[in-house]
Structures are given as structure tokens and as C-alpha cells.
Amino acid sequence: SLSGPLANITLPLAMVITVGALAHFAPEKWYDWSLTAYARAPFYAQAVVLALLVLGLQSVVQFGAAPFIYTRF
């Protein structure tokens, strides 16, 4: 039926999944441009980009233990 609970899908996670899916359809020259721009950037700019990536990932991560679903049948 393709329906199911969406309680585990938060808005930030849905946005990450959407951006990742849309990135598959981006032109290859966008990837080449971003790779070149990152490689040419000074180390402190690269550090800022990586720090923002870490902060973004931390906002998407689920904290705490997930319930063990196999005992809920």
C-alpha cells in the first residue's frame, strides 16, 4: 500500500534526503565546479565548510536509543 508511519522522518532528515535525491540530477559541471572551488579555497574556508557540515549532520541525527521494534508484534 506504500503507506507507513512517518514518525521517524523529521523535517531536517526529509530535507537531506530530498537534496541528496535532487543532486543525482544536477549537471556534472556543477560537481566539477564545486570540487574545483573547494580545492582552491584556503584551508580556513575549507575548515568552515566542514564545520558547517558537521553541525548540519548533528541536527539531523537522532539522539537516544531507538526502540527495539521486533518485540512489538
Side-chain angles (χ1 to χ4, degrees):
S1 69
L2 295 177
S3 65
L6 296 177
N8 290 336
I9 307 290
T10 62
L11 181 61
L13 180 59
M15 290 173 28
V16 168
I17 292 171
T18 302
V19 168
L22 291 176
H24 287 288
F25 301 105
E28 189 173 344
K29 68 179 179 178
W30 288 8
Y31 171 76
D32 294 336
W33 177 85
S34 63
L35 183 66
T36 303
Y38 183 79
R40 288 185 179 177
F43 73 93
Y44 51 84
Q46 291 179 359
V48 168
V49 169
L50 289 177
L52 290 174
L53 178 64
V54 167
L55 290 174
L57 288 174
Q58 284 182 343
S59 72
V60 173
V61 172
Q62 176 183 357
F63 293 102
F68 190 65
I69 62 168
Y70 297 110
T71 60
R72 297 185 177 192
F73 289 111

